[in-house]
Coordinates of all heavy atoms in Angstrom, one line a residue:
R16 N 11.3 5.2 -0.3 CA 10.6 5.7 -1.6 C 11.3 5.0 -2.7 O 12.5 4.7 -2.7 CB 10.7 7.2 -1.7 CG 12.0 7.8 -1.7 CD 12.0 9.3 -1.9 NE 11.5 9.6 -3.3 CZ 11.4 10.8 -3.8 NH1 11.8 11.9 -3.1 NH2 10.9 11.0 -5.0
W17 N 10.6 4.9 -3.8 CA 11.1 4.2 -5.0 C 12.3 4.9 -5.5 O 12.4 6.1 -5.5 CB 10.1 4.1 -6.1 CG 9.0 3.1 -5.8 CD1 7.8 3.2 -5.2 CD2 9.1 1.7 -6.2 NE1 7.1 2.0 -5.2 CE2 7.9 1.1 -5.8 CE3 10.1 0.9 -6.8 CZ2 7.7 -0.3 -5.9 CZ3 9.9 -0.5 -7.0 CH2 8.7 -1.0 -6.6
R18 N 13.3 4.1 -6.1 CA 14.4 4.7 -6.8 C 14.4 4.1 -8.2 O 14.0 3.0 -8.4 CB 15.7 4.3 -6.0 CG 15.9 5.0 -4.7 CD 16.9 4.4 -3.8 NE 16.5 3.0 -3.4 CZ 17.3 2.2 -2.8 NH1 18.5 2.6 -2.5 NH2 16.9 1.0 -2.5
E19 N 15.0 5.0 -9.1 CA 14.9 4.7 -10.5 C 15.2 3.2 -10.9 O 14.6 2.6 -11.7 CB 15.7 5.6 -11.3 CG 15.0 6.9 -11.7 CD 16.0 7.9 -12.4 OE1 16.8 7.4 -13.2 OE2 15.9 9.0 -12.0
H20 N 16.4 2.8 -10.4 CA 16.9 1.5 -10.8 C 16.0 0.3 -10.4 O 16.3 -0.8 -10.8 CB 18.3 1.3 -10.3 CG 18.4 1.1 -8.8 ND1 18.5 2.2 -8.0 CD2 18.3 0.1 -8.0 CE1 18.6 1.8 -6.7 NE2 18.4 0.5 -6.7
E21 N 15.1 0.5 -9.5 CA 14.3 -0.6 -9.0 C 13.2 -1.1 -9.9 O 12.5 -2.1 -9.6 CB 13.7 -0.2 -7.6 CG 14.8 0.0 -6.5 CD 14.2 0.5 -5.2 OE1 13.4 1.4 -5.2 OE2 14.6 -0.1 -4.2
F22 N 13.1 -0.5 -11.1 CA 12.1 -1.0 -12.0 C 12.3 -2.4 -12.5 O 11.3 -3.1 -12.7 CB 11.9 0.0 -13.2 CG 13.0 -0.1 -14.2 CD1 12.9 -0.9 -15.4 CD2 14.2 0.6 -14.1 CE1 13.9 -1.0 -16.3 CE2 15.2 0.5 -15.0 CZ 15.1 -0.3 -16.1
T23 N 13.5 -2.9 -12.6 CA 13.7 -4.3 -13.1 C 13.2 -5.3 -12.0 O 12.6 -6.3 -12.3 CB 15.2 -4.6 -13.4 OG1 16.0 -4.1 -12.3 CG2 15.6 -3.9 -14.7
E24 N 13.5 -4.9 -10.7 CA 13.0 -5.8 -9.6 C 11.5 -5.8 -9.6 O 10.9 -6.8 -9.4 CB 13.6 -5.3 -8.3 CG 13.6 -6.2 -7.2 CD 14.3 -5.8 -6.0 OE1 14.7 -4.6 -5.9 OE2 14.5 -6.6 -5.1
L25 N 10.9 -4.6 -9.7 CA 9.4 -4.5 -9.7 C 8.9 -5.4 -10.8 O 7.9 -6.2 -10.6 CB 9.0 -3.1 -9.9 CG 7.5 -2.9 -10.0 CD1 6.8 -3.3 -8.7 CD2 7.1 -1.4 -10.3
R26 N 9.4 -5.3 -12.0 CA 9.0 -6.1 -13.1 C 9.0 -7.6 -12.8 O 8.0 -8.4 -13.0 CB 9.8 -5.8 -14.4 CG 9.4 -6.5 -15.7 CD 8.1 -5.9 -16.3 NE 7.0 -6.7 -15.9 CZ 5.9 -6.2 -15.4 NH1 5.6 -5.0 -15.3 NH2 4.9 -7.0 -15.0
A27 N 10.1 -8.0 -12.2 CA 10.3 -9.5 -11.9 C 9.3 -9.9 -10.8 O 8.7 -11.0 -10.9 CB 11.7 -9.7 -11.4
V28 N 9.1 -9.1 -9.8 CA 8.2 -9.4 -8.7 C 6.7 -9.5 -9.2 O 6.0 -10.4 -8.9 CB 8.3 -8.4 -7.5 CG1 7.3 -8.7 -6.4 CG2 9.7 -8.5 -6.9
L29 N 6.4 -8.5 -10.0 CA 5.0 -8.5 -10.5 C 4.7 -9.7 -11.4 O 3.6 -10.3 -11.4 CB 4.7 -7.2 -11.2 CG 4.6 -5.9 -10.4 CD1 4.3 -4.7 -11.2 CD2 3.5 -6.1 -9.2
D30 N 5.7 -10.1 -12.2 CA 5.5 -11.2 -13.1 C 5.4 -12.5 -12.2 O 4.5 -13.3 -12.5 CB 6.7 -11.4 -14.1 CG 6.6 -10.3 -15.1 OD1 5.6 -9.7 -15.3 OD2 7.7 -10.0 -15.8
L31 N 6.3 -12.6 -11.2 CA 6.2 -13.8 -10.4 C 4.9 -13.9 -9.6 O 4.3 -15.0 -9.4 CB 7.4 -13.8 -9.4 CG 7.5 -15.0 -8.4 CD1 8.0 -16.2 -9.2 CD2 8.5 -14.6 -7.3
C32 N 4.5 -12.7 -9.1 CA 3.3 -12.7 -8.2 C 2.0 -12.4 -8.9 O 1.0 -12.0 -8.2 CB 3.6 -11.7 -7.1 SG 5.1 -12.1 -6.1
D33 N 2.0 -12.5 -10.2 CA 0.8 -12.0 -10.9 C -0.5 -12.7 -10.4 O -1.5 -12.0 -10.1 CB 1.0 -12.4 -12.4 CG -0.1 -11.7 -13.3 OD1 -1.3 -12.0 -13.1 OD2 0.3 -10.9 -14.2
A34 N -0.5 -14.0 -10.3 CA -1.8 -14.7 -9.8 C -2.2 -14.3 -8.4 O -3.3 -14.3 -8.1 CB -1.6 -16.2 -10.0
H35 N -1.2 -14.0 -7.6 CA -1.4 -13.7 -6.2 C -2.0 -12.3 -6.1 O -2.9 -12.0 -5.2 CB 0.0 -13.7 -5.5 CG 0.1 -13.0 -4.2 ND1 -0.6 -13.4 -3.0 CD2 0.9 -12.0 -3.8 CE1 -0.3 -12.6 -2.0 NE2 0.6 -11.7 -2.5
L36 N -1.6 -11.4 -7.0 CA -2.0 -10.0 -6.9 C -3.3 -9.6 -7.7 O -4.1 -8.8 -7.3 CB -0.9 -9.0 -7.3 CG 0.4 -9.1 -6.4 CD1 1.5 -8.3 -7.1 CD2 0.1 -8.7 -5.0
R37 N -3.4 -10.3 -8.9 CA -4.4 -9.9 -9.9 C -5.8 -9.8 -9.3 O -6.5 -8.8 -9.7 CB -4.2 -10.8 -11.1 CG -5.1 -10.3 -12.3 CD -4.7 -11.1 -13.5 NE -3.4 -10.7 -14.1 CZ -3.1 -9.7 -14.8 NH1 -4.0 -8.8 -15.1 NH2 -1.9 -9.5 -15.2
P38 N -6.2 -10.8 -8.5 CA -7.6 -10.7 -8.1 C -8.0 -9.5 -7.2 O -9.1 -9.1 -7.1 CB -7.8 -12.0 -7.3 CG -6.7 -12.8 -7.6 CD -5.6 -11.9 -8.0
W39 N -6.9 -8.9 -6.6 CA -7.2 -7.9 -5.6 C -6.7 -6.5 -5.9 O -7.1 -5.5 -5.2 CB -6.6 -8.3 -4.3 CG -6.9 -9.7 -3.9 CD1 -6.0 -10.7 -3.7 CD2 -8.2 -10.3 -3.6 NE1 -6.7 -11.9 -3.4 CE2 -8.0 -11.6 -3.3 CE3 -9.5 -9.8 -3.6 CZ2 -9.1 -12.5 -3.0 CZ3 -10.6 -10.6 -3.3 CH2 -10.4 -11.9 -3.0
I40 N -5.7 -6.3 -6.8 CA -5.1 -5.1 -7.0 C -5.5 -4.4 -8.3 O -5.2 -4.9 -9.4 CB -3.5 -5.3 -7.0 CG1 -3.1 -5.9 -5.7 CG2 -2.8 -4.0 -7.3 CD1 -3.0 -5.0 -4.5
P41 N -6.1 -3.3 -8.2 CA -6.7 -2.6 -9.4 C -5.6 -2.4 -10.5 O -5.8 -2.6 -11.7 CB -7.2 -1.3 -8.9 CG -7.6 -1.6 -7.5 CD -6.6 -2.5 -7.0
F42 N -4.3 -2.0 -10.1 CA -3.3 -1.7 -11.1 C -2.9 -2.9 -11.9 O -2.3 -2.8 -13.0 CB -2.1 -0.9 -10.5 CG -1.2 -1.7 -9.6 CD1 -0.4 -2.8 -10.1 CD2 -1.0 -1.4 -8.3 CE1 0.5 -3.5 -9.3 CE2 -0.1 -2.1 -7.5 CZ 0.6 -3.1 -8.0
M43 N -3.3 -4.1 -11.4 CA -2.9 -5.3 -12.2 C -3.6 -5.4 -13.5 O -3.2 -6.2 -14.4 CB -3.1 -6.6 -11.3 CG -2.1 -6.7 -10.2 SD -0.4 -6.7 -10.7 CE -0.2 -8.3 -11.6
R44 N -4.7 -4.7 -13.6 CA -5.5 -4.7 -14.9 C -4.6 -4.2 -16.0 O -4.8 -4.5 -17.2 CB -6.7 -3.8 -14.8 CG -7.9 -4.6 -14.3 CD -9.2 -3.7 -14.4 NE -9.7 -3.6 -13.0 CZ -9.9 -2.5 -12.4 NH1 -9.8 -1.3 -13.0 NH2 -10.4 -2.5 -11.2
D45 N -3.6 -3.4 -15.7 CA -2.7 -2.8 -16.7 C -1.4 -3.6 -16.8 O -0.5 -3.2 -17.5 CB -2.4 -1.3 -16.4 CG -3.6 -0.5 -16.4 OD1 -4.5 -0.7 -17.3 OD2 -3.8 0.3 -15.4
E46 N -1.3 -4.7 -16.1 CA -0.1 -5.6 -16.2 C -0.4 -6.8 -17.0 O -1.6 -7.2 -17.1 CB 0.3 -6.0 -14.7 CG 0.7 -4.9 -13.8 CD 2.0 -4.3 -14.2 OE1 2.7 -4.9 -15.1 OE2 2.4 -3.2 -13.7
P47 N 0.6 -7.5 -17.6 CA 2.0 -7.1 -17.5 C 2.4 -6.0 -18.4 O 2.1 -6.1 -19.6 CB 2.7 -8.4 -17.8 CG 1.7 -9.2 -18.7 CD 0.4 -8.7 -18.3
R48 N 3.1 -5.0 -17.8 CA 3.7 -3.9 -18.7 C 5.0 -4.4 -19.2 O 5.6 -5.3 -18.7 CB 3.9 -2.7 -17.8 CG 2.7 -2.0 -17.3 CD 3.1 -0.8 -16.4 NE 2.0 0.1 -16.2 CZ 1.1 0.0 -15.3 NH1 1.1 -1.1 -14.5 NH2 0.1 0.9 -15.2
S49 N 5.4 -3.7 -20.3 CA 6.8 -3.9 -20.8 C 7.8 -3.4 -19.8 O 7.4 -2.6 -18.9 CB 6.9 -3.2 -22.1 OG 6.9 -1.8 -21.9
L50 N 9.0 -3.7 -20.0 CA 10.1 -3.2 -19.1 C 10.2 -1.7 -19.2 O 10.3 -1.0 -18.2 CB 11.4 -3.9 -19.5 CG 12.5 -3.8 -18.4 CD1 12.0 -4.3 -17.0 CD2 13.7 -4.6 -18.9

Side-chain angles (χ1 to χ4, degrees):
R16 60 174 295 182
W17 284 94
R18 289 165 297 172
E19 272 174 44
H20 67 271
E21 291 175 312
F22 73 96
T23 48
E24 196 175 12
L25 176 62
R26 186 68 266 133
V28 173
L29 291 179
D30 288 343
L31 180 74
C32 301
D33 192 300
H35 161 66
L36 299 173
R37 190 169 289 280
W39 311 118
I40 300 283
F42 71 66
M43 289 304 292
R44 271 186 240 126
D45 301 317
E46 297 289 349
R48 288 177 166 83
S49 68
L50 199 52

